[in-house]
PDB file of all heavy atoms in Angstrom:
ATOM      1  N   GLY A  25      12.838   6.318  10.290  1.00 75.00           N
ATOM      2  CA  GLY A  25      13.588   5.121   9.851  1.00 75.00           C
ATOM      3  C   GLY A  25      13.155   3.845  10.600  1.00 75.00           C
ATOM      4  O   GLY A  25      13.825   3.064  10.803  1.00 75.00           O
ATOM      5  N   LEU A  26      11.956   3.940  11.087  1.00 71.00           N
ATOM      6  CA  LEU A  26      11.392   2.725  12.002  1.00 71.00           C
ATOM      7  C   LEU A  26      10.681   1.793  11.067  1.00 71.00           C
ATOM      8  O   LEU A  26      10.215   0.733  11.558  1.00 71.00           O
ATOM      9  CB  LEU A  26      10.434   3.292  12.993  1.00 71.00           C
ATOM     10  CG  LEU A  26      11.134   4.310  13.944  1.00 71.00           C
ATOM     11  CD1 LEU A  26      10.025   4.851  15.021  1.00 71.00           C
ATOM     12  CD2 LEU A  26      12.277   3.648  14.748  1.00 71.00           C
ATOM     13  N   CYS A  27      10.491   2.010   9.909  1.00 64.00           N
ATOM     14  CA  CYS A  27       9.779   1.190   8.923  1.00 64.00           C
ATOM     15  C   CYS A  27      10.471   0.160   8.522  1.00 64.00           C
ATOM     16  O   CYS A  27      10.943   0.025   7.330  1.00 64.00           O
ATOM     17  CB  CYS A  27       9.214   2.062   7.755  1.00 64.00           C
ATOM     18  SG  CYS A  27       9.318   3.830   7.886  1.00 64.00           S
ATOM     19  N   ARG A  28      10.689  -0.889   9.344  1.00 56.00           N
ATOM     20  CA  ARG A  28      11.462  -2.064   8.999  1.00 56.00           C
ATOM     21  C   ARG A  28      10.904  -2.770   7.708  1.00 56.00           C
ATOM     22  O   ARG A  28      11.716  -3.217   6.897  1.00 56.00           O
ATOM     23  CB  ARG A  28      11.569  -3.056  10.093  1.00 56.00           C
ATOM     24  CG  ARG A  28      12.542  -2.589  11.183  1.00 56.00           C
ATOM     25  CD  ARG A  28      12.656  -3.743  12.200  1.00 56.00           C
ATOM     26  NE  ARG A  28      11.771  -3.402  13.249  1.00 56.00           N
ATOM     27  CZ  ARG A  28      11.325  -4.315  14.291  1.00 56.00           C
ATOM     28  NH1 ARG A  28      11.707  -5.512  14.195  1.00 56.00           N
ATOM     29  NH2 ARG A  28      10.656  -3.899  15.278  1.00 56.00           N
ATOM     30  N   ALA A  29       9.604  -3.010   7.713  1.00 50.00           N
ATOM     31  CA  ALA A  29       8.996  -3.739   6.497  1.00 50.00           C
ATOM     32  C   ALA A  29       8.606  -2.869   5.391  1.00 50.00           C
ATOM     33  O   ALA A  29       8.115  -3.375   4.373  1.00 50.00           O
ATOM     34  CB  ALA A  29       7.791  -4.496   7.203  1.00 50.00           C
ATOM     35  N   VAL A  30       8.866  -1.474   5.493  1.00 51.00           N
ATOM     36  CA  VAL A  30       8.513  -0.696   4.379  1.00 51.00           C
ATOM     37  C   VAL A  30       9.568  -0.838   3.240  1.00 51.00           C
ATOM     38  O   VAL A  30      10.664  -0.847   3.577  1.00 51.00           O
ATOM     39  CB  VAL A  30       8.313   0.765   4.708  1.00 51.00           C
ATOM     40  CG1 VAL A  30       8.023   1.651   3.528  1.00 51.00           C
ATOM     41  CG2 VAL A  30       7.236   0.884   5.785  1.00 51.00           C
ATOM     42  N   LYS A  31       9.131  -1.057   2.139  1.00 60.00           N
ATOM     43  CA  LYS A  31       9.884  -1.160   0.950  1.00 60.00           C
ATOM     44  C   LYS A  31       9.668  -0.043  -0.085  1.00 60.00           C
ATOM     45  O   LYS A  31       8.481   0.378  -0.106  1.00 60.00           O
ATOM     46  CB  LYS A  31       9.814  -2.532   0.350  1.00 60.00           C
ATOM     47  CG  LYS A  31      10.087  -3.739   1.221  1.00 60.00           C
ATOM     48  CD  LYS A  31       9.606  -4.978   0.514  1.00 60.00           C
ATOM     49  CE  LYS A  31       9.150  -6.067   1.404  1.00 60.00           C
ATOM     50  NZ  LYS A  31       7.935  -5.883   2.106  1.00 60.00           N
ATOM     51  N   LYS A  32      10.643   0.414  -0.716  1.00 59.00           N
ATOM     52  CA  LYS A  32      10.398   1.341  -1.734  1.00 59.00           C
ATOM     53  C   LYS A  32      10.218   0.505  -3.143  1.00 59.00           C
ATOM     54  O   LYS A  32      11.120  -0.232  -3.483  1.00 59.00           O
ATOM     55  CB  LYS A  32      11.589   2.379  -1.983  1.00 59.00           C
ATOM     56  CG  LYS A  32      11.359   3.554  -1.130  1.00 59.00           C
ATOM     57  CD  LYS A  32      12.296   4.691  -1.602  1.00 59.00           C
ATOM     58  CE  LYS A  32      11.863   5.938  -0.860  1.00 59.00           C
ATOM     59  NZ  LYS A  32      12.670   7.084  -1.279  1.00 59.00           N
ATOM     60  N   VAL A  33       9.230   0.707  -3.689  1.00 58.00           N
ATOM     61  CA  VAL A  33       8.920   0.103  -5.016  1.00 58.00           C
ATOM     62  C   VAL A  33       8.707   1.242  -6.023  1.00 58.00           C
ATOM     63  O   VAL A  33       7.844   1.975  -5.883  1.00 58.00           O
ATOM     64  CB  VAL A  33       7.601  -0.749  -4.902  1.00 58.00           C
ATOM     65  CG1 VAL A  33       7.480  -1.378  -6.279  1.00 58.00           C
ATOM     66  CG2 VAL A  33       7.793  -1.870  -3.913  1.00 58.00           C
ATOM     67  N   MET A  34       9.631   1.315  -6.957  1.00 57.00           N
ATOM     68  CA  MET A  34       9.536   2.377  -8.087  1.00 57.00           C
ATOM     69  C   MET A  34       9.347   3.643  -7.362  1.00 57.00           C
ATOM     70  O   MET A  34       8.644   4.554  -7.746  1.00 57.00           O
ATOM     71  CB  MET A  34       8.378   1.980  -8.907  1.00 57.00           C
ATOM     72  CG  MET A  34       8.574   0.755  -9.838  1.00 57.00           C
ATOM     73  SD  MET A  34       7.232   0.274 -10.749  1.00 57.00           S
ATOM     74  CE  MET A  34       6.613   1.600 -11.657  1.00 57.00           C
ATOM     75  N   GLY A  35      10.203   3.931  -6.299  1.00 59.00           N
ATOM     76  CA  GLY A  35      10.197   5.245  -5.658  1.00 59.00           C
ATOM     77  C   GLY A  35       9.258   5.522  -4.653  1.00 59.00           C
ATOM     78  O   GLY A  35       9.210   6.608  -4.044  1.00 59.00           O
ATOM     79  N   ALA A  36       8.237   4.633  -4.405  1.00 66.00           N
ATOM     80  CA  ALA A  36       7.100   4.862  -3.449  1.00 66.00           C
ATOM     81  C   ALA A  36       7.221   3.869  -2.319  1.00 66.00           C
ATOM     82  O   ALA A  36       7.472   2.703  -2.432  1.00 66.00           O
ATOM     83  CB  ALA A  36       5.791   4.713  -4.177  1.00 66.00           C
ATOM     84  N   TRP A  37       6.987   4.354  -1.084  1.00 69.00           N
ATOM     85  CA  TRP A  37       6.944   3.502   0.124  1.00 69.00           C
ATOM     86  C   TRP A  37       5.839   2.542  -0.030  1.00 69.00           C
ATOM     87  O   TRP A  37       4.754   2.922  -0.490  1.00 69.00           O
ATOM     88  CB  TRP A  37       6.861   4.289   1.391  1.00 69.00           C
ATOM     89  CG  TRP A  37       8.063   5.110   1.628  1.00 69.00           C
ATOM     90  CD1 TRP A  37       8.237   6.380   1.322  1.00 69.00           C
ATOM     91  CD2 TRP A  37       9.204   4.673   2.257  1.00 69.00           C
ATOM     92  NE1 TRP A  37       9.494   6.780   1.796  1.00 69.00           N
ATOM     93  CE2 TRP A  37      10.057   5.712   2.383  1.00 69.00           C
ATOM     94  CE3 TRP A  37       9.718   3.442   2.896  1.00 69.00           C
ATOM     95  CZ2 TRP A  37      11.296   5.742   2.922  1.00 69.00           C
ATOM     96  CZ3 TRP A  37      10.902   3.367   3.438  1.00 69.00           C
ATOM     97  CH2 TRP A  37      11.807   4.489   3.453  1.00 69.00           C
ATOM     98  N   GLN A  38       5.978   1.271   0.482  1.00 77.00           N
ATOM     99  CA  GLN A  38       4.921   0.320   0.486  1.00 77.00           C
ATOM    100  C   GLN A  38       4.782  -0.058   2.003  1.00 77.00           C
ATOM    101  O   GLN A  38       5.750  -0.582   2.584  1.00 77.00           O
ATOM    102  CB  GLN A  38       5.264  -0.825  -0.392  1.00 77.00           C
ATOM    103  CG  GLN A  38       5.293  -0.549  -1.842  1.00 77.00           C
ATOM    104  CD  GLN A  38       4.083  -0.105  -2.419  1.00 77.00           C
ATOM    105  OE1 GLN A  38       3.075  -0.679  -2.220  1.00 77.00           O
ATOM    106  NE2 GLN A  38       4.096   0.995  -3.165  1.00 77.00           N
ATOM    107  N   TYR A  39       3.594   0.142   2.475  1.00 81.00           N
ATOM    108  CA  TYR A  39       3.245  -0.307   3.930  1.00 81.00           C
ATOM    109  C   TYR A  39       2.625  -1.697   3.937  1.00 81.00           C
ATOM    110  O   TYR A  39       1.882  -2.055   3.146  1.00 81.00           O
ATOM    111  CB  TYR A  39       2.220   0.772   4.475  1.00 81.00           C
ATOM    112  CG  TYR A  39       2.814   2.009   4.622  1.00 81.00           C
ATOM    113  CD1 TYR A  39       2.754   2.977   3.569  1.00 81.00           C
ATOM    114  CD2 TYR A  39       3.511   2.502   5.787  1.00 81.00           C
ATOM    115  CE1 TYR A  39       3.302   4.285   3.687  1.00 81.00           C
ATOM    116  CE2 TYR A  39       4.038   3.744   5.965  1.00 81.00           C
ATOM    117  CZ  TYR A  39       3.917   4.737   4.849  1.00 81.00           C
ATOM    118  OH  TYR A  39       4.553   5.885   4.944  1.00 81.00           O
ATOM    119  N   ASP A  40       2.958  -2.354   5.038  1.00 80.00           N
ATOM    120  CA  ASP A  40       2.266  -3.694   5.366  1.00 80.00           C
ATOM    121  C   ASP A  40       1.547  -3.517   6.621  1.00 80.00           C
ATOM    122  O   ASP A  40       1.457  -2.506   7.226  1.00 80.00           O
ATOM    123  CB  ASP A  40       3.335  -4.831   5.302  1.00 80.00           C
ATOM    124  CG  ASP A  40       4.319  -4.639   6.529  1.00 80.00           C
ATOM    125  OD1 ASP A  40       4.185  -3.861   7.417  1.00 80.00           O
ATOM    126  OD2 ASP A  40       5.312  -5.506   6.516  1.00 80.00           O
ATOM    127  N   ASP A  41       0.938  -4.637   7.143  1.00 83.00           N
ATOM    128  CA  ASP A  41       0.097  -4.647   8.265  1.00 83.00           C
ATOM    129  C   ASP A  41       0.837  -4.197   9.540  1.00 83.00           C
ATOM    130  O   ASP A  41       0.268  -3.489  10.405  1.00 83.00           O
ATOM    131  CB  ASP A  41      -0.457  -5.992   8.371  1.00 83.00           C
ATOM    132  CG  ASP A  41      -1.603  -6.351   7.437  1.00 83.00           C
ATOM    133  OD1 ASP A  41      -2.051  -5.426   6.854  1.00 83.00           O
ATOM    134  OD2 ASP A  41      -1.830  -7.554   7.196  1.00 83.00           O
ATOM    135  N   GLU A  42       2.129  -4.626   9.638  1.00 83.00           N
ATOM    136  CA  GLU A  42       2.955  -4.273  10.773  1.00 83.00           C
ATOM    137  C   GLU A  42       3.166  -2.761  10.933  1.00 83.00           C
ATOM    138  O   GLU A  42       3.074  -2.027  11.972  1.00 83.00           O
ATOM    139  CB  GLU A  42       4.286  -4.962  10.817  1.00 83.00           C
ATOM    140  CG  GLU A  42       5.035  -4.716  12.034  1.00 83.00           C
ATOM    141  CD  GLU A  42       6.424  -5.543  11.987  1.00 83.00           C
ATOM    142  OE1 GLU A  42       6.575  -6.616  11.259  1.00 83.00           O
ATOM    143  OE2 GLU A  42       7.346  -5.114  12.595  1.00 83.00           O
TER     144      GLU A  42
END
Side-chain angles (χ1 to χ4, degrees):
L26 302 176
C27 343
R28 282 188 263 165
V30 175
K31 301 172 207 76
K32 268 195 169 180
V33 177
M34 294 170 49
W37 291 98
Q38 296 295 312
Y39 293 89
D40 66 11
D41 290 340
E42 188 177 334

